[in-house]
Amino acid sequence: MLTLYDAARCPYCARARIVLAEKAVEYETVEIDLADRPAWIYEKNATGRVPVLEEGDWLLPESAVIMEYLEERFPAPALLAADAAERALARLWIFRHDDFTKPYYALRRGEDGAAARFDEQLTALDAALGEQPWLGGNEYGLADIAYVPWVLRARDSLGVSLDAHPAVDDWLARLLERPAVAAEAAVVAAL
Ligand SMILES: N[C@@H](CCC(=O)N[C@@H](CS)C(=O)NCC(=O)O)C(=O)O
């Protein structure tokens, strides 16, 4: 049985939760209090961060790697396209994810100019989603899952309006039709 060291409020953990839900994988959750992390979490991950996936004495940190691992370990339903170019595009979005989250966290900290910087990122996302239905191309998958936890938190916790970004708004609405993503909206609402 897989165990996920998890924190409800953590968007990186949300990535793992969504992939596990999409693939209907059974797992146990150990909720970590991020405000008072247990010392033993450093034995699971030297950085002390969540998520961490565990199976027996095997441990895997880092949400992007966890997503890829789950994709390989539980191939159905596929969350990476069959087409190599679409897979590469999905991975490129995931690789560049810090560009999106740095302004998000700056906004959360209330830094000057952060709202405009985050808006630029939403504009870039909007442009991509104006060209294709999903971040990776024609199919829903890991790239969408990699970004949606922050977009959801930006909208629902930070009060960021998506009105000026209709393609992002539409993408989020389509994502929320999926039970695995809708469950995350409920998690965010309960934070
Ligand atoms: N690169 C890591 C980042 C994970 C991360 O930053 N998790 C946060 C919670 S959202 C955490 O554990 N923070 C505790 C800390 O930084 O000490 C990943 O993708 O899994």
Side-chain angles (χ1 to χ4, degrees):
M1 169 78 86
L2 289 170
T3 299
L4 181 69
Y5 295 89
D6 192 20
R9 76 175 160 89
C10 174
Y12 297 95
C13 293
R15 287 173 159 184
R17 292 192 295 263
I18 295 172
V19 174
L20 287 160
E22 290 288 6
K23 292 178 179 289
V25 175
E26 250 189 85
Y27 67 102
E28 286 167 354
T29 296
V30 176
E31 180 75 16
I32 300 297
D33 180 353
L34 292 175
D36 184 20
R37 269 171 301 159
W40 55 256
I41 194 69
Y42 288 91
E43 289 162 26
K44 307 289 179 189
N45 180 7
T47 68
R49 292 184 171 158
V50 288
V52 181
L53 197 64
E54 181 180 65
E55 189 166 24
D57 55 8
W58 186 78
L59 293 157
L60 186 66
E62 292 299 336
S63 60
V65 182
I66 290 172
M67 289 197 299
E68 288 259 3
Y69 169 74
L70 291 171
E71 176 66 8
E72 290 191 357
R73 170 91 191 273
F74 305 101
L79 294 172
L80 279 173
D83 179 68
E86 288 209 9
R87 283 205 303 279
L89 182 58
R91 290 180 170 124
L92 186 60
W93 278 105
I94 297 168
F95 188 77
R96 292 186 170 161
H97 182 259
D98 279 358
D99 295 347
F100 190 79
T101 51
K102 277 183 186 151
Y104 167 90
Y105 286 111
L107 180 63
R108 224 182 62 169
R109 289 191 296 268
E111 286 178 19
D112 285 348
R117 294 209 312 279
F118 188 58
D119 194 66
E120 277 170 26
Q121 290 300 318
L122 286 173
T123 301
L125 215 57
D126 202 65
L129 290 166
E131 299 286 321
Q132 59 199 34
W134 304 105
L135 286 177
N138 290 315
E139 289 171 42
Y140 161 75
L142 294 189
D144 306 291
I145 295 169
Y147 279 70
V148 70
W150 285 266
V151 176
L152 204 49
R153 282 163 176 75
R155 189 192 70 172
D156 295 356
S157 301
L158 303 184
V160 172
S161 167
L162 298 178
D163 290 353
H165 307 291
V168 176
D169 198 32
D170 177 69
W171 168 80
L172 184 56
R174 282 182 283 117
L175 284 169
L176 288 168
E177 286 168 11
R178 308 187 68 86
V181 181
E184 284 303 317
V187 169
V188 172
L191 290 176

